[in-house]
Amino acid sequence: MLEHRTPLDSIRERQAQHGPTIERRDFHVAPAHEKGLLLLQSASVNSLQEALGQVLDLTLPAAQQVNVLGNYALLWLAPAEWLLELPRDETDPVESALTQRLGPSLTVITDFSDALVSFEVSGSGAPETLMTGCSLDMRSHAFPARRVVRTALAGVPAILWNPGNPDRFRCLLDRGFAEHFLTWLEGTTPVLG
Amino acid sequence: MRTNPHRLESGGRIDRSRPLSFVFDGRRYNGFAGDTLASALLANGVRIIGRSFKLHRPRGLMGAWSEEPNAIVQLGSGATAVPNLKATQVEITEGLQARSVNCWPSARRDAFAFLKLFGPLMPAGFYYKTFMWPSWHWFEPTIRRAAGLGISPRVPDPDRYEERHEHCDVLVVGGGPGGIAAALAASRAGARVVLVDDRPVLGGSLQWEEKSIDGQPALEWVAAAEQELRASSSARVLKRTTAFGCYDHNLVALSERIGSEPAAAVRERLWHVRAARVVVASGAIERPMVFANNDVPGIMLASAAMSYAAQYAVRPGRRAVFVVSTDSAYEAAESLRIRGIEIAAIVDTRKDPGEIALSAQRAGIPILAGYVPVRARGTLAVKSIEVGLSPANGTAGGSARHLECDLVCVSGGWTPTVHLYSQARGQMRYDRERGAFIPAAGTKGFQCAGAAAGNLSLHQCLTDGFAAGREAAKAAGATSDAGLAPIAKAERSAVTAFWASPRDGHRKAWVDFQNDVTRGDLELAVRENLRSVEHIKRYTTTGMAVDQGKTSNMNALGILSELLQTSIPEIGTTTFRPPYDPVTLGTLAARHVGGLYHPLRHTPLDRQHAAARAVFEDFGGWWRPAWYASHGRNREECIRVEKRAARSAVSLFDGSPLGKIEVRGPDAALFLNRMYYNTMRTLAAGRIRYGIMLSEHGVIIDDGVCIRLADDHFLVSTTSGGASRIFGAFEDWLQCEWPDLRVLVTNVTSAWGNIAVAGPKARELLSRLDTDIDLDPHAFPHLSVRRGRLESVPVRIARVGFTGELSFELSLPAGYSASLWQLLLERGSPMGVMPIGIEALQELRTEKGYLHVGTDTDGRTLPADIGLGEVLARKTDDFVGRRSLDRADAKRSDRLQFVGLEAHERATVLPVGAHLVADPKTRRGSHGYVTSSCMSEALGRSVALGLVQGGRSRLGESVQIYSDGRLFPARIVSPQWYDPKGERLNA
């Protein structure tokens, strides 16, 4: 049986051995709890909406919004494109159940669990720190709870969303950029005053 | 250590309790905290701070801040050296090392000062005319070395730079009275405000002018305003921060100087500020006057002299003559007088300056009204100035008066600082009364206020700035009441523009001090029939480069108006370019240096490669093993061992970075048939076909295999660096051109790990793993794909490869690939399995004759050039790039074609990039070039690939290949060297 590993495993092991990567009172970054990810693309939004309702009781979020229900979060990514975050062990069953209900409609479900890694960035200094590498205004008046964007962070493509707390963000990045992201955060110097 | 002989006993905003020592041109001086390098040098009696750009004339201080054109210095040395700073903007710190530029060994004693003797030979544009024969390029290296100001460091900058994005409702540029009033109004109205100022302290001219605002000393008002803004959660005050560029949609770039001390964590920060509204309250710059010898050290702007005396407690001279055409200069004269500087006279170009002159006269200052400057005397320092009656008031130069002095303060008018406004494409109009271009009307989201809008009195600045801040906040959606504007005493601030005195024989009169442009240069340009101000600017260089015409533009326009007999508005202005003030390259680069310059993706097998001592390199944006140091003593040996394993046993290659794009939907086959040059709609499910993709110009942009997993499901494999580009192209064509196609595409490159198992023992190795896929060659032939499970994990295995050997590409969820890699190494150990890097793979494919797009093709290569012309004849459907292949140029027989090349000497590896010379005797002309090359152990000789003119019709022809002074005899051949029948591939 093959072992499953992500870049976050290495980071966790390193942090367990050497302590947190970044020592700041107002800012914390840690690998997020690993979840399954399903990319949903559909040319038939009604069918997808119906299937999601039947399988997970979820509705499709509006543009730049996240709908959260229990362990599930549905992120709007683009017109006709969403990302479903769910418990990892439910990825296959949910994909099968959705596929079954979608029937012949032009909808594609892709397991993205291994494509992206997720970091949790939090603390009162989190918006300021993220704004050193992201051109968006990450402060609560401009980036409220349950907002999601696809943008560039630290020079690489990223999905940023706010799960509900103004000073807490989830950053989803290509797994190949996990170490780059941490290196970049380590070197960030916050604006003082 | 020298004392401060020119420091006033008291006053100034310097901290006398904190003396600091610094070095300029190798000599140690002292100053105080709060001094600029310019004020400290002046306090020490140093008047020559630089040499002029072209003629190496001695130059002293003209200004006191960013308008300074002369005092360019270089700070530090080695890696931390900073060239081209203005001494007027450098805050001194303990141990600061500075030196003048464009001179040797020092500004005072410059060995190149003799160049001024050649002044008549070096008019504007002289190098365009003089250095034409035999060729400009013959002279260019010497001239380039002689030109320029500072010297850039040759080693990496160790300092740290940061960047930050900011969003606000109102950005106020300028922390003078107008800017502070604007920021207060906007903040009180409820807007999110950012106030930036390039000085270390807010207040602008209030730092040296003695004024009152709202009944209190102006600086107390400034302190209270700053406190109020800092206390607000929605306002940010940035000092030592220059707004240097304005870009689309109100994006303003700022450069913040944080720390020049060695211990500073961050030296500078680049801010990208996106503002709903921008208020430009950047003040105005006093203009010098154009008269003979007006560049002699000791001639400076009246406002600068007042700033040195009042702000820095420095005596800029002992006996001053003011030559003015503004009311504001009288205030400067009074400021100097009360600080003990003798005012020899105020020479006012206006015939009737009014009450302000009478007031000065009552204070004992002689007034010469209606006089103009004729010439200054002195070489290293001004000794006197000759003035005469203005032509408007009598004969030019008539009633000449010689005024002994060591300081000449000039004030020819005020030019609003509208650089940012102009960069934002704001329109301007000429105001005859003020003798300046002022903003005509706010451009979208941008407005000028205070002196930048032409309001020169303090009272006007405050009311105008406050109104601008209030309006900007309102436009940005803020609704609170901003209250009342601050008020100051109303005062007269009349100006009569004065550009230049009448010509004084052949004596030079400077217009642009920084670029060494004289009135004579402008006259020459006009004589040579240049009429457009943009052309004259480029011909003479006035208003260009670092200075951006801060002190010169208006004087140049005034003189041109006279020369061209055209009004100033008709001549118009030139376009201001960012940066307003020089910005370090470190700031522009910010954190995008070293490993953060170009983020590289790591493969899922990163740790395994590192454990095997891989030597990593950037390949297509991925951090990939070039070769493994554990395989031998040096690079060549390691690569040779890796290749041997692939040819004789079995190799593992990390193919995870290969692009993987899933294409699904009922029209997927039709879509890919249009995207590929090759026919894809006939591809059967479970089969694989090699294909190339073209741009609309017919040029090959990518290649790879196309795998049909099901009737409506394809997997497109792209080059590693091409995945995002091809995915974008797919989306582009689907969304913009063919929205009717029922297709969805997904870039799954990172979701899947990919391991290529290649070599004669590849099947044997896979058979040692637990899989439900039949690996028998009859059941699983070359160019087919199977899906199943491998060690209980879902897997796709494709029989494709890039080495020419029996190959299996294993694709599985990326998280499992490290574990599978380890298992393959363990199970394959008895049969000599070995990981191979990119270098070995490239050499394996070269000896097989496989081309690599981007290496063996260039930006002109068409399918027929690589031998795929017959596909076009067979394919009847349309595809991207098809029409371009019908061009006559695409059918030329002498196009560069993909061929093999063999050196006559079997052991000679032809250099990549070397050209096939058309004429070996002269070594001129090219018939093509080498694209890939290696020594092949399997073939027992060196082989190379190349692009050669009409190459395929020249097989067998001997050619000469030239590189680095050597000729290599070689032969054009077919590249199918290794296993030409494909028996190993199909095993």
Side-chain angles (χ1 to χ4, degrees):
Chain A
M1 184 67 183
L2 299 177
E3 183 195 2
H4 187 272
R5 279 184 70 87
T6 79
L8 300 185
D9 294 322
S10 307
I11 291 167
R12 282 194 198 94
E13 288 162 12
R14 203 167 60 224
Q15 291 186 345
Q17 199 175 351
H18 303 292
T21 311
I22 298 164
E23 298 267 10
R24 269 174 54 190
R25 283 185 184 174
D26 65 336
F27 178 76
H28 311 279
V29 59
H33 184 66
E34 259 170 62
K35 296 274 190 114
L37 295 170
L38 291 176
L39 181 73
L40 313 176
Q41 296 166 283
S42 182
S44 176
V45 176
N46 290 340
S47 303
L48 179 61
Q49 175 68 78
E50 199 176 320
L52 279 167
Q54 289 172 358
V55 175
L56 299 173
D57 203 21
L58 267 174
T59 56
L60 288 171
Q64 300 189 16
Q65 295 294 312
V66 181
N67 280 352
V68 178
L69 184 68
N71 287 326
Y72 306 100
L74 188 55
L75 287 65
W76 179 93
L77 294 187
E81 194 171 318
W82 301 265
L83 188 69
L84 175 63
E85 192 185 85
L86 70 174
R88 186 139 195 146
D89 57 0
E90 292 184 32
T91 309
D92 286 345
V94 168
E95 182 179 354
S96 299
L98 286 173
T99 304
Q100 194 180 0
R101 280 170 178 77
L102 282 163
S105 75
L106 181 53
T107 298
V108 163
I109 303 174
T110 309
D111 189 344
F112 252 49
S113 309
D114 277 23
L116 305 174
V117 290
S118 180
F119 287 94
E120 183 148 311
V121 176
S122 59
S124 59
E128 292 271 344
T129 304
L130 291 175
M131 285 170 75
T132 64
C134 176
S135 63
L136 298 173
D137 193 344
M138 302 303 297
R139 292 167 297 201
S140 57
H141 65 267
F143 204 93
R146 305 285 160 82
R147 186 174 176 210
V148 64
V149 292
R150 245 176 167 172
T151 184
L153 174 63
V156 300
I159 299 165
L160 300 183
W161 66 288
N162 181 333
N165 182 319
D167 296 334
R168 202 167 140 227
F169 300 89
R170 298 284 286 274
C171 307
L172 284 152
L173 306 124
D174 184 292
R175 62 175 290 139
F177 288 128
E179 290 288 350
H180 161 77
F181 180 61
L182 267 193
T183 306
W184 175 81
L185 277 180
E186 283 166 2
T188 301
T189 307
V191 178
L192 301 173
Chain B
M1 178 89 68
R2 283 151 183 81
T3 57
N4 282 194
H6 295 266
R7 184 77 70 182
L8 297 168
E9 290 299 320
S10 60
R13 320 223 180 275
I14 51 170
D15 184 352
R16 292 175 195 258
S17 68
R18 289 178 57 204
L20 300 167
S21 74
F22 64 98
V23 174
F24 177 71
D25 273 353
R27 302 178 77 171
R28 187 167 292 278
Y29 300 96
N30 63 10
F32 295 104
D35 260 327
T36 63
L37 178 59
S39 67
L41 286 172
L42 206 53
N44 283 280
V46 179
R47 304 193 93 180
I48 301 172
I49 299 180
R51 287 277 167 168
S52 76
F53 185 71
K54 199 162 69 177
L55 302 178
H56 286 251
R57 286 173 64 97
R59 289 282 169 81
L61 293 164
M62 170 63 69
W65 193 246
S66 62
E67 73 280 8
E68 171 57 37
N70 295 330
I72 309 292
V73 295
Q74 174 129 354
L75 294 192
S77 59
T80 56
V82 187
N84 297 345
L85 289 173
K86 297 168 193 169
T88 48
Q89 291 177 293
V90 175
E91 295 173 60
I92 62 163
T93 53
E94 180 59 37
L96 179 82
Q97 300 270 344
R99 65 184 176 86
S100 48
V101 298
N102 202 34
C103 56
W104 184 85
S106 69
R108 185 168 179 80
R109 293 185 178 82
D110 177 23
F112 295 95
F114 70 90
L115 281 171
K116 66 185 175 191
L117 302 175
F118 297 92
L121 301 176
M122 292 192 277
F126 74 99
Y127 44 89
Y128 298 133
K129 303 167 186 168
T130 313
F131 301 105
M132 298 298 285
W133 187 90
S135 163
W136 158 251
H137 298 293
W138 197 81
F139 300 99
E140 187 181 5
T142 308
I143 291 176
R144 293 258 180 250
R145 272 198 298 275
L149 298 170
I151 299 167
S152 297
R154 293 175 182 272
V155 286
D157 184 348
D159 287 334
R160 287 193 48 195
Y161 300 83
E162 264 287 356
E163 72 180 314
R164 165 66 204 259
H165 298 265
E166 179 60 288
H167 300 256
C168 63
D169 296 321
V170 181
L171 169 67
V172 180
V173 179
I180 293 173
L184 283 176
S187 176
R188 288 170 187 171
R192 288 176 301 121
V193 177
V194 174
L195 169 65
V196 299
D197 190 74
D198 56 357
R199 295 173 187 267
V201 287
L202 293 185
S205 59
L206 299 176
Q207 289 291 337
W208 59 88
E209 294 174 347
E210 278 133 27
K211 309 267 176 152
S212 294
I213 298 174
D214 281 346
Q216 59 184 324
L219 286 183
E220 287 181 20
W221 176 82
V222 171
E226 183 175 354
Q227 198 173 11
E228 178 182 332
L229 290 168
R230 288 195 182 282
S232 166
S233 60
S234 58
R236 186 190 289 278
V237 179
L238 294 172
K239 294 189 279 196
R240 295 186 174 90
T241 303
T242 305
F244 66 83
C246 176
Y247 306 91
D248 286 350
H249 306 294
N250 287 7
L251 176 67
V252 180
L254 316 177
S255 166
E256 181 188 12
R257 303 182 300 281
I258 300 166
S260 51
E261 302 283 353
V266 176
R267 193 176 134 200
E268 293 178 5
R269 179 179 281 117
L270 174 68
W271 290 77
H272 312 258
V273 181
R274 187 77 70 178
R277 309 284 299 188
V278 180
V279 177
V280 179
S282 43
I285 292 173
E286 198 170 29
R287 287 198 294 267
M289 290 177 170
V290 180
F291 57 92
N293 292 346
N294 62 340
D295 68 333
V296 179
I299 301 177
M300 67 169 63
L301 299 173
S303 58
M306 178 158 59
S307 168
Y308 288 120
Q311 186 175 7
Y312 302 107
V314 173
R315 189 184 299 111
R318 293 185 185 280
R319 180 179 161 87
V321 172
F322 276 69
V323 185
V324 308
S325 65
T326 64
D327 285 359
S328 59
Y330 284 81
E331 189 184 336
E334 176 62 10
S335 179
L336 263 59
R337 190 188 70 79
I338 61 174
R339 286 176 172 81
I341 296 157
E342 183 187 353
I343 309 299
I346 296 179
V347 179
D348 200 318
T349 62
R350 300 170 294 183
K351 190 176 181 184
D352 182 14
E355 174 58 31
I356 198 160
L358 296 174
S359 177
Q361 214 162 21
R362 283 196 290 273
I365 300 176
I367 306 291
L368 291 173
Y371 277 73
V372 296
V374 177
R375 78 182 69 101
R377 294 185 191 279
T379 304
L380 298 179
V382 66
K383 291 179 178 169
S384 67
I385 183 165
E386 183 180 325
V387 298
L389 272 175
S390 162
N393 305 316
T395 308
S399 306
R401 300 277 298 269
H402 292 270
L403 301 168
E404 301 289 326
C405 60
D406 63 354
L407 174 67
V408 175
C409 299
V410 291
S411 179
W414 290 89
T415 303
T417 307
V418 291
H419 294 65
L420 280 185
Y421 175 79
S422 173
Q423 289 171 24
R425 315 308 293 172
Q427 297 298 308
M428 286 178 284
R429 67 176 175 83
Y430 183 67
D431 185 300
R432 192 173 299 278
E433 188 186 338
R434 296 177 177 94
F437 279 95
I438 62 171
T443 187
K444 193 178 179 186
F446 251 80
Q447 64 193 108
C448 290
N455 301 300
L456 295 179
S457 80
L458 176 59
H459 179 72
Q460 285 175 315
C461 278
L462 291 169
T463 52
D464 187 49
F466 198 82
R470 186 168 48 202
E471 285 166 26
K474 188 178 173 188
T479 54
S480 300
D481 180 13
L484 297 173
I487 52 172
K489 185 181 153 193
E491 57 197 8
R492 188 168 173 266
S493 56
V495 172
T496 301
F498 180 86
W499 318 117
S501 296
R503 190 170 235 300
D504 182 23
H506 291 292
R507 291 186 179 85
K508 289 185 183 296
W510 266 261
V511 178
D512 185 327
F513 294 86
Q514 188 166 89
N515 295 300
D516 245 357
V517 180
T518 65
R519 177 198 181 102
D521 292 324
L522 296 176
E523 290 169 349
L524 177 66
V526 172
R527 280 204 304 279
E528 297 196 351
N529 206 28
L530 293 161
R531 290 292 181 269
S532 161
V533 68
E534 293 284 3
H535 293 160
I536 294 170
K537 170 183 172 177
R538 280 153 186 79
Y539 186 72
T540 62
T541 70
T542 188
M544 290 180 71
V546 176
D547 188 60
Q548 284 291 294
K550 291 184 180 70
T551 52
S552 61
N553 267 8
M554 281 311 301
N555 283 345
L557 285 174
I559 293 168
L560 286 175
S561 170
E562 188 183 301
L563 295 171
L564 294 169
Q565 295 291 297
T566 308
S567 71
I568 288 177
E570 282 179 278
I571 294 173
T573 57
T574 52
T575 307
F576 292 106
R577 316 273 181 200
Y580 165 72
D581 235 11
V583 183
T584 62
L585 291 176
T587 299
L588 295 177
R591 295 187 60 209
H592 304 279
V593 294
L596 299 179
Y597 170 65
H598 172 51
L600 295 172
R601 289 159 89 175
H602 291 243
T603 88
L605 302 172
D606 205 45
R607 294 211 316 172
Q608 283 64 36
H609 298 319
R613 294 176 55 209
V615 175
F616 288 93
E617 285 181 24
D618 170 9
F619 292 99
W622 289 81
W623 193 231
R624 304 179 73 177
W627 47 283
Y628 294 86
S630 53
H631 293 161
R633 286 169 300 184
N634 55 41
R635 176 183 179 277
E636 285 67 32
E637 185 180 320
C638 291
I639 294 170
R640 193 162 55 245
V641 168
E642 291 170 25
K643 285 166 64 181
R644 199 178 298 153
R647 291 280 182 239
S648 61
V650 59
S651 66
L652 302 183
F653 176 75
D654 180 3
S656 303
L658 283 172
K660 307 168 200 78
I661 301 170
E662 296 206 19
V663 180
R664 284 175 279 192
D667 295 326
L670 176 61
F671 170 66
L672 289 176
N673 208 49
R674 292 180 186 176
M675 293 306 301
Y676 273 103
Y677 171 72
N678 313 70
T679 299
M680 291 301 173
R681 63 181 167 80
T682 57
L683 183 63
R687 299 293 296 178
I688 298 170
R689 185 168 291 161
Y690 171 79
I692 57 174
M693 279 181 253
L694 313 181
S695 71
E696 287 165 281
H697 311 106
V699 171
I700 299 167
I701 55 169
D702 210 85
D703 73 339
V705 294
C706 179
I707 302 170
R708 192 163 196 170
L709 296 166
D711 283 347
D712 61 351
H713 190 180
F714 289 78
L715 177 67
V716 169
S717 178
T718 74
T719 54
S720 303
S724 297
R725 183 163 38 87
I726 297 302
F727 176 69
F730 281 7
E731 286 284 14
D732 192 15
W733 283 96
L734 276 173
Q735 291 183 29
C736 301
E737 303 297 331
W738 306 317
D740 56 311
L741 292 187
R742 292 167 301 157
V743 176
L744 292 170
V745 295
T746 316
N747 186 347
V748 295
T749 301
S750 291
W752 293 81
N754 179 291
I755 299 170
V757 183
K761 296 179 182 175
R763 184 177 288 112
E764 184 186 342
L765 172 55
L766 288 192
S767 67
R768 296 187 180 196
L769 272 61
D770 177 22
T771 180
D772 56 359
I773 295 173
D774 185 353
L775 300 171
D776 183 85
H778 301 292
F780 191 1
H782 182 54
L783 291 178
S784 60
V785 64
R786 297 291 180 266
R787 286 195 275 190
R789 300 188 83 79
L790 185 71
E791 298 291 329
S792 305
V793 170
V795 69
R796 277 197 301 244
I797 304 181
R799 273 207 57 187
V800 289
F802 206 41
T803 62
E805 298 292 343
L806 169 66
S807 303
F808 297 87
E809 280 193 2
L810 317 180
S811 295
L812 72 171
Y816 293 107
S817 46
S819 181
L820 175 60
W821 179 271
Q822 209 55 42
L823 188 65
L824 287 165
L825 285 175
E826 286 167 18
R827 302 276 167 89
S829 177
M831 57 188 77
V833 70
M834 189 169 281
I836 64 170
I838 295 277
E839 295 293 346
L841 185 80
Q842 292 287 8
E843 294 192 6
L844 290 165
R845 66 95 192 163
T846 298
E847 62 192 28
K848 177 64 182 169
Y850 285 161
L851 71 78
H852 184 231
V853 169
T855 301
D856 301 307
T857 64
D858 62 22
R860 299 165 294 178
T861 308
L862 308 178
D865 300 335
I866 61 167
L868 294 181
E870 76 283 0
V871 176
L872 179 64
R874 288 203 303 269
K875 186 169 180 177
T876 54
D877 307 319
D878 198 8
F879 56 87
V880 175
R882 173 158 208 149
R883 198 171 63 170
S884 297
L885 301 181
D886 286 334
R887 291 177 298 122
D889 181 68
K891 296 173 179 172
R892 276 184 13 240
S893 60
D894 63 344
R895 291 184 58 83
L896 291 176
Q897 295 177 338
F898 176 67
V899 292
L901 295 164
E902 288 178 357
H904 283 188
E905 294 288 336
R906 298 176 71 87
T908 299
V909 178
L910 295 171
V912 172
H915 279 255
L916 283 71
V917 283
D919 182 352
K921 284 184 183 171
T922 61
R923 298 173 181 185
R924 286 175 182 271
S926 172
H927 279 188
Y929 59 97
V930 179
T931 55
S932 300
S933 184
C934 69
M935 173 58 69
S936 169
E937 191 178 67
L939 299 170
R941 61 156 303 124
S942 67
V943 290
L945 302 172
L947 288 170
V948 176
Q949 279 183 8
R952 281 200 305 284
S953 62
R954 297 169 65 180
L955 298 183
E957 183 181 322
S958 287
V959 292
Q960 295 285 335
I961 295 177
Y962 175 74
S963 177
D964 281 342
R966 287 183 63 194
L967 284 171
F968 298 89
R971 190 169 52 248
I972 302 171
V973 298
S974 162
Q976 293 172 339
W977 292 288
Y978 185 77
D979 186 27
K981 292 182 181 172
E983 290 164 346
R984 299 174 71 92
L985 197 68
N986 289 291

